[in-house]
Amino acid sequence: MYEQLDQSIQQLMWDVRKRTLKRMQSAYDVAMKTSYKDLVTTVDKENERFIDDHLRKLDPNAKIVSEEGLGDKVTDLKGPVFIVDPIDGTMNFVMQHRNFAIMIAFFVDGQPVYGYIMDVIEGTLYHGGPGKGVYCNDQRLHAPADNDLHDSLVVLNSGITLNGGHNFREIGLQARGVRMYGSAGIEMIAVITGRVGGYLSYLHPWDLAAGMAMAKELGLSVKAIDEKELDVLSSNLVLVATQQVSRDISELIN
Amino acid sequence: MYEQLDQSIQQLMWDVRKRTLKRMQSAYDVAMKTSYKDLVTTVDKENERFIDDHLRKLDPNAKIVSEEGLGDKVTDLKGPVFIVDPIDGTMNFVMQHRNFAIMIAFFVDGQPVYGYIMDVIEGTLYHGGPGKGVYCNDQRLHAPADNDLHDSLVVLNSGITLNGGHNFREIGLQARGVRMYGSAGIEMIAVITGRVGGYLSYLHPWDLAAGMAMAKELGLSVKAIDEKELDVLSSNLVLVATQQVSRDISELIN
């Protein structure tokens, strides 16, 4: 029932990509948020305004949760809700000019309907949701092979790993290898395409929602690592993984 | 004096890329080398044979050091020497079908003359050496900004980081962020393009030589982290970094 909305959001993602690529060619301001490891730029803010304005036209009744604060104060997921990350991986955007993403999710009554992740530099839009399939541009993705931890690469949050939290180091040592890309969107793409078998990180709603919509459709496990019900609106330590990797990591994590 | 050789090796890199992309479309064997984290495929071996055969025609007097053992037994770097990695990041090649590289270096009397790193999937050839400039395809690279550790992303070897060696964790915590890509070639590209300010890993000759030739030309520091003279023929714990990051890491490492 949301096919028209889906088409409109896909077009919006391509429009925002085009704006972003153009915007990168001229000067923009970079500011720190919580620390020197947490940046925001004028491009984040301009993208958020552009996206939020368009989403309000697409569904004036929907609430909007967006990273840089232009959205609504949302305390529950009743009805239609958009969750927006205007630039995910801002550090990579500033330092690498690649490996960053734009993400939008559409939820209704707490359930994911569509997720969208744009790898801006590569020009690939991942999109889909429960019952709709998941696509990279126009190509449908297969469900990733249900490998176990021993046969999988994993992405681990770097801060938690360096600080020794939650037994991440042992999980990394048991995997085939550890990867860290510095953008939740790029890391979500890695897990939904099967390039890694698991992704463990501390995720805000805008980091999680779009990938969650697609991961569920692909048969992947998405859960809070304390095993409580996942609350998309709270920040969570989240594991997105194949079913086997999810079981293996659940035995190791603390 | 090696301009013709340079042109021939660039052409060889593109030829090997083409073979590799074609070869990925049909079945190949994967075998373990030292552990389940260390793989070799028939594509590694086929590429090595193809590259070594061509290099022998280009300079029949040169010695060849190559990863999978088809080269010469080389005990010193006197005269002309090729150093070859036919597939770097074999785990990524097998598991991700991206983020792997092909590398060739040309040394004369122990000094780097040319280095070549091909990002196979992206189709970008990084090449150059001391006095010759460094290029991404035909575009000349600038020397990366001489940022300090606090203002830089760093790539750290995942095994050493997880196992707590050499104070890597503290180095990672002081940096703006940590990245791990799983291929020395891709990680060398990150440091020579300035996408990361430092790269710390345990490197075999074929992991190091090509990137070293280009890093030196770009004013980057390349050194063994025990501060002894770097021996390209031995495996080494190596730091490739901006001059400032190199000083900052030298104070922290043990």
Side-chain angles (χ1 to χ4, degrees):
Chain A
M1 59 183 289
Y2 294 108
E3 288 79 7
Q4 183 53 51
L5 180 68
D6 176 39
Q7 291 302 314
S8 300
I9 299 177
Q10 286 188 46
Q11 186 55 54
L12 173 61
M13 293 296 283
W14 289 107
D15 292 345
V16 185
R17 171 176 186 260
K18 195 171 168 186
R19 282 174 57 93
T20 305
L21 290 173
K22 193 171 173 193
R23 194 60 185 79
M24 289 171 76
Q25 292 167 14
S26 50
Y28 50 84
D29 291 331
V30 180
M32 291 179 194
K33 291 202 290 186
T34 58
S35 81
Y36 71 98
K37 302 184 183 195
D38 184 19
L39 304 182
V40 62
T41 74
T42 41
V43 185
D44 295 72
K45 291 175 182 175
E46 289 164 11
N47 277 2
E48 182 160 311
R49 184 169 303 278
F50 182 81
I51 294 169
D52 287 10
D53 286 352
H54 276 71
L55 292 177
R56 289 206 193 280
K57 281 177 207 152
L58 291 177
D59 186 345
N61 297 315
K63 292 177 279 190
I64 300 179
V65 179
S66 56
E67 182 174 11
E68 309 305 343
L70 296 176
D72 304 306
K73 263 207 164 322
V74 175
T75 54
D76 65 71
L77 288 178
K78 279 184 204 139
V81 180
F82 293 113
I83 304 176
V84 176
D85 197 337
I87 297 279
D88 171 77
T90 301
M91 185 66 75
N92 284 347
F93 175 79
V94 172
M95 309 283 287
Q96 304 198 324
H97 316 298
R98 58 166 55 200
N99 301 324
F100 61 91
I102 298 163
M103 296 195 274
I104 299 176
F106 180 58
F107 276 53
V108 175
D109 290 329
Q111 296 304 309
V113 178
Y114 285 110
Y116 307 84
I117 305 178
M118 172 68 81
D119 180 332
V120 174
I121 297 304
E122 201 172 278
T124 42
L125 174 61
Y126 294 83
H127 59 100
K132 282 108 179 167
V134 176
Y135 297 82
C136 172
N137 294 340
D138 293 329
Q139 194 176 351
R140 188 158 183 170
L141 298 187
H142 304 285
D146 191 18
N147 292 328
D148 63 14
L149 182 60
H150 193 272
D151 280 336
S152 297
L153 299 170
V154 292
V155 171
L156 301 178
N157 175 284
S158 62
I160 298 172
T161 304
L162 295 172
N163 284 307
H166 301 287
N167 213 21
F168 273 27
R169 293 177 191 162
E170 182 57 29
I171 293 164
L173 287 169
Q174 293 206 16
R176 282 216 158 167
V178 174
R179 303 289 179 264
M180 296 178 181
Y181 300 125
S183 151
I186 300 299
E187 291 163 339
M188 281 287 189
I189 289 170
V191 71
I192 66 176
T193 56
R195 290 172 201 150
V196 303
Y199 173 37
L200 259 174
S201 194
Y202 185 82
L203 298 177
H204 298 283
W206 41 85
D207 295 322
L208 169 63
M212 179 179 170
M214 292 186 271
K216 290 211 158 185
E217 167 67 2
L218 292 167
L220 298 170
S221 164
V222 182
K223 63 183 184 186
I225 61 173
D226 59 3
E227 301 281 350
K228 283 186 215 150
E229 187 80 16
L230 189 64
D231 177 2
V232 174
L233 277 186
S234 318
S235 299
N236 289 285
L237 267 170
V238 178
L239 169 61
V240 184
T242 70
Q243 298 296 332
Q244 288 211 60
V245 168
S246 181
R247 281 191 293 273
D248 292 344
I249 287 180
S250 295
E251 284 179 18
L252 291 167
I253 207 156
N254 60 38
Chain B
M1 59 182 290
Y2 293 108
E3 288 79 6
Q4 183 54 50
L5 180 68
D6 175 39
Q7 290 302 315
S8 300
I9 300 177
Q10 286 189 46
Q11 185 57 52
L12 174 60
M13 294 294 284
W14 289 107
D15 292 346
V16 187
R17 172 177 186 260
K18 196 171 168 185
R19 283 174 56 93
T20 306
L21 290 174
K22 194 172 172 193
R23 192 63 185 79
M24 289 172 76
Q25 293 167 15
S26 51
Y28 51 83
D29 290 331
V30 180
M32 291 178 194
K33 292 202 289 186
T34 59
S35 81
Y36 71 98
K37 301 185 184 193
D38 184 19
L39 304 182
V40 63
T41 74
T42 43
V43 185
D44 296 72
K45 291 175 183 174
E46 290 163 12
N47 276 4
E48 181 160 313
R49 184 168 303 278
F50 183 83
I51 293 169
D52 288 10
D53 286 352
H54 276 71
L55 292 177
R56 288 206 194 281
K57 281 177 206 151
L58 291 177
D59 186 346
N61 297 316
K63 293 176 279 191
I64 300 178
V65 180
S66 56
E67 182 175 11
E68 308 305 343
L70 296 175
D72 304 307
K73 263 206 164 321
V74 176
T75 53
D76 65 71
L77 289 178
K78 278 184 204 138
V81 181
F82 294 112
I83 304 176
V84 176
D85 196 337
I87 297 279
D88 171 78
T90 301
M91 185 66 75
N92 284 348
F93 175 78
V94 172
M95 309 284 285
Q96 303 198 325
H97 318 298
R98 59 165 56 200
N99 301 325
F100 61 91
I102 298 163
M103 295 195 275
I104 299 177
F106 179 58
F107 276 54
V108 175
D109 291 328
Q111 296 304 310
V113 178
Y114 285 110
Y116 307 84
I117 305 177
M118 172 69 80
D119 180 332
V120 175
I121 297 303
E122 201 171 278
T124 42
L125 175 61
Y126 294 83
H127 58 100
K132 283 107 178 168
V134 176
Y135 297 82
C136 171
N137 294 339
D138 294 329
Q139 193 176 352
R140 187 158 184 170
L141 298 186
H142 304 286
D146 190 19
N147 291 329
D148 64 14
L149 182 60
H150 193 274
D151 279 335
S152 296
L153 299 171
V154 292
V155 171
L156 300 177
N157 175 284
S158 61
I160 299 171
T161 304
L162 294 172
N163 284 307
H166 300 288
N167 213 21
F168 273 27
R169 293 176 193 162
E170 182 57 29
I171 293 164
L173 287 169
Q174 293 206 14
R176 281 216 159 168
V178 174
R179 303 290 180 263
M180 297 179 181
Y181 300 126
S183 152
I186 300 300
E187 290 162 339
M188 281 289 189
I189 289 170
V191 71
I192 66 176
T193 55
R195 288 173 202 150
V196 302
Y199 173 37
L200 259 174
S201 195
Y202 184 83
L203 298 177
H204 298 282
W206 41 84
D207 296 322
L208 170 63
M212 179 179 169
M214 291 185 271
K216 289 210 159 186
E217 167 67 1
L218 292 167
L220 297 170
S221 163
V222 182
K223 63 182 184 185
I225 61 173
D226 59 3
E227 302 280 351
K228 284 186 215 149
E229 187 82 15
L230 188 64
D231 177 2
V232 174
L233 277 185
S234 319
S235 298
N236 289 285
L237 268 171
V238 179
L239 169 62
V240 185
T242 70
Q243 298 295 334
Q244 287 211 60
V245 168
S246 181
R247 281 192 292 273
D248 292 342
I249 287 181
S250 295
E251 285 180 17
L252 290 168
I253 207 156
N254 59 40

